[in-house]
Amino acid sequence: MELVIGFVVLTILSVWFGLKKAKPSLLAAPFLALIGFVIVKIAMVPLPFWETVSFIFDLRD
């Protein structure tokens, strides 16, 4: 739950500062944080990185 709150706070702050300082590059911060989070979670799996990524994307219904 703390992670969700952290992402919400990061999103609000990045939108606030992005609009206030007129820097659209600040609006990319939440996306970069989510991408970084996914990479860290994939790296925590005890299999080789590329094998884990291929397993995730090869899942079928």
Side-chain angles (χ1 to χ4, degrees):
M1 189 63 174
E2 296 89 10
L3 209 56
V4 173
I5 294 170
F7 281 125
V8 169
V9 169
L10 176 67
T11 302
I12 291 171
L13 288 175
S14 68
V15 168
W16 173 260
F17 285 116
L19 294 175
K20 186 171 178 112
K21 299 196 183 274
K23 291 192 174 192
S25 61
L26 290 175
L27 300 176
F31 296 109
L32 295 175
L34 282 172
I35 291 169
F37 174 74
V38 168
I39 289 173
V40 167
K41 284 299 184 180
I42 290 174
M44 289 174 62
V45 175
L47 293 173
F49 184 77
W50 288 115
E51 186 176 330
T52 304
V53 172
S54 66
F55 174 73
I56 290 171
F57 289 111
D58 285 341
L59 292 176
R60 307 267 174 163
D61 287 332

